[in-house]
Amino acid sequence: MSSEVLVALIAAVSVIGAAVIAAVPAFLALQRRTTGAVAAEGTATREALDGIASALNARIDDVRDDIDDIREHVTHVREWQAGHDAEHLLIGRQTPRGDT
């Protein structure tokens, strides 16, 4: 290798090394700022998700209550229908299904 090439390589390595050394503080500062922002964003996201989960659980409980109410109504209608059918049997006025 000629001396000019060797000097050029040493100069290139020196310039790159100086650039890296100069850039390290800027990268560290950027990392600190983004880490804080991400932590704050993460906290806000977790709080929002907790709120959504609470609302969803409340809605699921409401739907379960509605289903229980519907089951009670269906049971009541079935009891009424059985009593109504029994009345027709007792008075002898039951008509075959399909006739009105």
Side-chain angles (χ1 to χ4, degrees), residues 36-51:
V38 168
E41 290 278 329
T43 302
T45 301
R46 279 190 286 286
E47 290 173 357
L49 286 175
D50 288 341

Side-chain angles (χ1 to χ4, degrees), residues 2 16 19 29 41 67 77 96 100:
S2 70
I16 291 173
E41 290 278 329
I67 290 172
V77 168
T100 46

Side-chain angles (χ1 to χ4, degrees), residues 21-75:
I21 290 171
V24 167
F27 283 131
L28 291 176
L30 179 64
Q31 182 183 11
R32 281 189 214 116
R33 278 187 296 185
T34 58
T35 301
V38 168
E41 290 278 329
T43 302
T45 301
R46 279 190 286 286
E47 290 173 357
L49 286 175
D50 288 341
I52 290 170
S54 297
L56 182 60
N57 286 333
R59 183 63 185 131
I60 288 171
D61 290 340
D62 290 345
V63 168
R64 285 183 180 155
D65 291 342
D66 291 345
I67 290 172
D68 290 341
D69 290 343
I70 290 170
R71 285 181 179 152
E72 288 177 20
H73 290 292
V74 168
T75 301

